[in-house]
Amino acid sequence: MPEILKIEDLKVHYGVINAIKGINVRVNAGEIVTLIGANGAGKSSTLNAIMNLVTSKKGKILYEGQDITKRSTAEIVKSGIVLVPEGRRIFPNLTVQENLMIGSYGRSDKDGIKRDFDFVLSLFPRIKERLKQPGGTLSGGEQQMLAIGRALMGSPQILLMDEPSLGLAPLLVKMVFEVIRKIKDEGKTILLVEQNATMALANADYAYVLETGKITLEGSGKSLLAHEGVRKSYLGVK
Amino acid sequence: MKKISLKINLILTIAFLIGIYFFLSNVNILGDYWSRIVTLVAIYSIMAVSYTLVNGITGIFSLGQAGFIAIGAYTSALLTLSIQQKEMSFFIQPLIWPLNSIQIGFLPATIIGGLVAAFFAFLIGYPSLRLTGDYFAIATLAFAEIIRILIQNLYGVTNGTLGLKGINPYTNVWWAWSWLLVTVIVIGSLKYSSYGRALRAISEDPVAAKVMGIDVFRHQMMAFVISGFFAGVSGALYAHWITTLDPRPTSLGVMLTFYVLIMIVIGGLGSITGAILGAIFFAFVSQWLRIFESNITIFGFTIPGVPGMSMLILSVLFIIVMIFWRRGLMGKEELNWQKIYNFFKKVEVQNE
Ligand SMILES: Nc1ncnc2c1ncn2[C@@H]1O[C@H](COP(=O)(O)OP(=O)(O)OP(=O)(O)O)[C@@H](O)[C@H]1O
Ligand SMILES: [Mg+2]
């Protein structure tokens, strides 16, 4: 499969803190690729660097063969990379529908927007019933669905997801992963950051393990799921 | 509760506008003093609505409003003053060319006043919108003060401390209320366009807005420049209402920003109709509070008037609103017929 996103020797630092110390990541089109790691490993920093939301980074980010390292966040979104940020960050005083429309900001293809809107509502029937209420009145799980739906409204080629299962009950975690697979079935590529390694690896085509800013292991989702070290450190198996 | 249909909404709105029209046509009945206040209400409303676009809808805290009002006021006044009047007033230093030899009509002068204010909004916004929160407030406050000091010292342009006198009293009820209508239509349709939705998203979470692909800086800039334009227009109307201008801190300085801030906080930050209600409230209360500045006699005792007393009372009121009633009258919402209907329905239910 063709490579759609490529990160070459990425380094991110915040003042004197080196959060990412030179990593290489490849994402093939149409696959689910996951990045697992403990708290503070640098998972969010990686995604934020792709979106050009960090102030200081080195290295190269290639999207469909083009260098997007220096593009603005708005341009990156427009070109088809959309982030579901850590902690959801929906707009609490905008209605659910307005939140979704913000996701389609900058698009002018009315038909496409309508199609994506219908797709999001079919994905999340709970959201459909709550279009007119303020986003802030949704439950945590519903807010996560809204955050995913909002990102999908940007018609992404690649969806970056930062810990979408964080703080959700087991049943909802399962549902989030079902949604991720459905999004994949739509032909989209997903770069998923997770602490819930079991679920992430079980669903991923390819996976990377990030430890304090470095990639220590990579391989297919299944192979990492069976890996001794991963089982000990991330899956809680003794 | 019953939902008011679009058709009834439209009819009520048109009836309301016609009502205002008749009120304004017959405002002379109220006498000269009150018709001047009715004009002032519209001027204050434009100041407040343009301010709430920045401080309420976009959620960036500017303290520069008086600066833009002053620019609009001086620019337009210098354009409409007659050439003889200019020669007479500028006796310390003559007015520079070409201002000393032009006189144009009120409408173009008002628009140019707005444009010059908008241009200054761009100049000050460009570097300072990159600053966050408190720093932006301080930068805009400094800008307004710099403008005032420049006005105070540039004798060849502004006549310095002597001020401008004999400005034509062009601003009447019609000019003021028509400009208010324009302001409300422009800023109202902005608020509910996709741009406005982006502005509201920025005010709630600028980082999330950026993540969604919104160019935060450009949007804030646009809001700031549009706000600057209408602030300038309000200044032009004000200049031709009051007919004299001077650069004292209490006239076109930080006090004025503070007044407009009171209006939009009382009305509810981010609400256009709230800003107008706040402006109406402020116009009447500040007139009424003037009685505390002259001697009052109650039961034979005379309480001496204290200059600045009305300001003190308003400030206390402002603090009380900020602490206990952050939402103000309207919060971020707009007054509409549905809300009025619901309100009276509630009163009716309570009375039963
Ligand atoms: N804005 C910032 N300023 C300073 N340091 C930061 C900033 N953002 C992240 N860091 C630091 O960079 C390192 C990596 O942080 P990052 O948020 O990328 O980790 P993470 O893997 O996403 O962790 P978590 O699972 O807790 O979300 C941490 O040591 C963190 O303290
Ligand atoms: Mg993180």
Side-chain angles (χ1 to χ4, degrees):
Chain A
M1 263 199 223
E3 201 171 70
I4 189 166
L5 186 71
K6 191 171 177 186
I7 300 174
E8 285 178 357
D9 197 26
L10 176 69
K11 292 180 183 132
V12 175
H13 63 92
Y14 304 102
V16 293
I17 301 171
N18 292 313
I20 305 286
K21 301 163 185 162
I23 61 169
N24 294 288
V25 173
R26 277 170 296 116
V27 180
N28 286 338
E31 291 192 348
I32 298 177
V33 174
T34 188
L35 210 61
I36 61 170
N39 288 112
K43 305 182 297 294
S44 298
S45 299
T46 305
L47 297 189
N48 290 343
I50 296 171
M51 299 304 295
N52 203 359
L53 291 163
V54 295
T55 42
S56 181
K57 66 172 183 210
K58 287 203 187 83
K60 237 187 195 171
I61 295 161
L62 300 167
Y63 168 59
E64 291 178 326
Q66 291 185 359
D67 189 349
I68 60 161
T69 319
K70 296 219 161 60
R71 286 195 195 163
S72 74
T73 306
E75 286 167 339
I76 291 168
V77 171
K78 210 161 192 171
S79 71
I81 306 178
V82 182
L83 170 69
V84 182
E86 187 172 18
R88 297 155 198 146
R89 301 193 88 138
I90 57 141
F91 303 106
N93 292 315
L94 265 55
T95 64
V96 170
Q97 179 156 4
E98 285 178 324
N99 267 279
L100 291 174
M101 294 323 286
I102 287 286
S104 65
Y105 188 82
R107 286 177 71 184
S108 48
D109 53 326
K110 278 224 171 84
D111 298 339
I113 293 174
K114 177 86 180 70
R115 210 170 35 243
D116 288 334
F117 190 65
D118 292 340
F119 174 61
V120 167
L121 295 189
S122 72
L123 222 44
F124 307 114
R126 303 251 298 259
I127 296 292
K128 191 177 181 176
E129 293 158 23
R130 293 168 170 77
L131 284 175
K132 291 278 176 277
Q133 72 192 57
T137 60
L138 298 184
S139 74
E142 289 160 357
Q143 290 191 12
Q144 185 61 65
M145 295 171 203
L146 178 58
I148 297 171
R150 183 181 65 177
L152 287 174
M153 289 300 290
S155 182
Q157 291 295 314
I158 308 181
L159 193 62
L160 311 182
M161 303 176 96
D162 198 341
E163 306 205 31
S165 75
L166 193 72
L168 300 185
L171 208 66
L172 274 173
V173 173
K174 249 185 87 188
M175 193 200 143
V176 165
F177 277 94
E178 270 164 32
V179 164
I180 291 173
R181 276 200 305 273
K182 278 189 200 162
I183 296 170
K184 183 193 174 182
D185 291 342
E186 286 289 301
K188 297 187 191 300
T189 309
I190 291 154
L191 178 55
L192 172 69
V193 154
E194 265 297 340
Q195 279 193 59
N196 188 333
T198 318
M199 285 297 261
L201 293 177
N203 286 285
D205 296 295
Y206 204 78
Y208 293 85
V209 177
L210 197 59
E211 268 175 41
T212 57
K214 281 203 182 106
I215 285 171
T216 52
L217 206 59
E218 61 173 277
S220 71
K222 286 211 183 66
S223 73
L224 289 199
L225 208 48
H227 189 276
E228 187 96 19
V230 174
R231 287 168 75 86
K232 267 194 190 145
S233 314
Y234 298 102
L235 305 178
V237 182
K238 289 270 147 55
Chain B
M1 252 173 247
K2 213 177 88 182
K3 207 161 156 55
I4 295 181
S5 71
L6 193 69
K7 202 168 124 194
I8 297 184
N9 242 318
L10 206 65
I11 293 170
L12 283 171
T13 305
I14 291 169
F16 176 73
L17 289 178
I18 293 173
I20 295 236
Y21 175 81
F22 274 104
F23 171 71
L24 296 179
S25 319
N26 296 301
V27 77
N28 293 333
I29 298 171
L30 297 175
D32 212 32
Y33 176 77
W34 285 108
S35 49
R36 273 180 69 75
I37 301 289
V38 170
T39 307
L40 184 63
V41 162
I43 299 173
Y44 278 165
S45 296
I46 299 170
M47 292 178 185
V49 171
S50 62
Y51 200 29
T52 215
L53 171 61
V54 170
N55 285 29
I57 297 170
T58 317
I60 43 180
F61 197 73
S62 158
L63 286 173
Q65 186 74 348
F68 302 118
I69 295 171
I71 290 170
Y74 267 89
T75 305
S76 63
L78 285 167
L79 291 172
T80 61
L81 272 174
S82 70
I83 290 156
Q84 303 98 293
Q85 184 67 43
K86 285 173 183 169
E87 271 167 13
M88 237 157 50
S89 295
F90 284 71
F91 54 78
I92 290 192
Q93 211 174 311
L95 181 57
I96 55 160
W97 186 87
L99 285 172
N100 62 358
S101 52
I102 43 176
Q103 183 186 11
I104 64 173
F106 184 38
L107 181 61
T110 304
I111 292 171
I112 292 172
L115 289 175
V116 173
F119 176 68
F120 272 86
F122 178 80
L123 284 187
I124 182 71
Y126 197 81
S128 51
L129 276 172
R130 295 173 198 276
L131 306 171
T132 45
D134 305 340
Y135 295 104
F136 180 74
I138 293 165
T140 47
L141 180 66
F143 151 78
E145 191 56 15
I146 290 167
I147 290 294
R148 195 188 65 76
I149 291 169
L150 283 178
I151 291 173
Q152 194 168 298
N153 290 290
L154 288 177
Y155 277 86
V157 185
T158 63
N159 210 20
T161 48
L162 298 175
L164 299 179
K165 287 179 194 62
I167 302 166
N168 294 305
Y170 288 133
T171 305
N172 56 20
V173 177
W174 293 115
W175 278 116
W177 282 80
S178 306
W179 270 110
L180 175 59
L181 188 67
V182 173
T183 310
V184 169
I185 289 173
V186 171
I187 294 180
S189 41
L190 185 71
K191 181 177 175 181
Y192 288 100
S193 69
S194 70
Y195 258 116
R197 195 160 54 213
L199 291 177
R200 284 181 290 141
I202 290 169
S203 81
E204 289 199 16
D205 188 340
V207 176
K210 194 172 173 199
V211 168
M212 296 327 295
I214 295 169
D215 187 336
V216 173
F217 175 74
R218 237 188 57 203
H219 278 74
Q220 291 180 335
M221 190 63 160
M222 182 196 61
F224 197 54
V225 168
I226 292 174
S227 166
F229 175 80
F230 286 106
V233 166
S234 72
L237 293 167
Y238 184 71
H240 296 83
W241 177 85
I242 194 138
T243 68
T244 60
L245 291 176
D246 65 68
R248 275 174 305 152
T250 47
S251 56
L252 288 175
V254 62
M255 268 342 262
L256 181 59
T257 298
F258 183 58
Y259 289 149
V260 189
L261 194 60
I262 292 179
M263 298 176 208
I264 62 173
V265 165
I266 287 177
L269 281 173
S271 169
I272 294 168
T273 40
I276 296 172
L277 292 176
I280 295 171
F281 175 86
F282 182 86
F284 285 97
V285 169
S286 61
Q287 294 299 319
W288 177 71
L289 285 175
R290 282 204 180 158
I291 55 174
F292 293 106
E293 309 217 335
S294 51
N295 296 342
I296 312 170
T297 311
I298 306 172
F299 304 123
F301 293 101
T302 301
I303 304 165
V306 184
M309 192 63 186
S310 63
M311 203 47 232
L312 189 68
I313 296 174
L314 274 170
S315 306
V316 172
L317 184 80
F318 178 69
I319 292 168
I320 292 172
V321 170
M322 281 307 259
I323 295 174
F324 295 108
W325 199 40
R326 280 271 178 85
R327 257 190 103 252
L329 282 169
M330 298 303 305
K332 278 188 183 306
E333 317 212 328
E334 297 301 342
L335 189 62
N336 54 35
W337 299 112
Q338 187 72 53
K339 288 209 181 73
I340 295 170
Y341 174 80
N342 293 353
F343 177 77
F344 283 109
K345 207 72 193 161
K346 235 177 21 209
V347 172
E348 196 180 289
V349 170
Q350 271 165 12
N351 288 345
E352 266 165 19

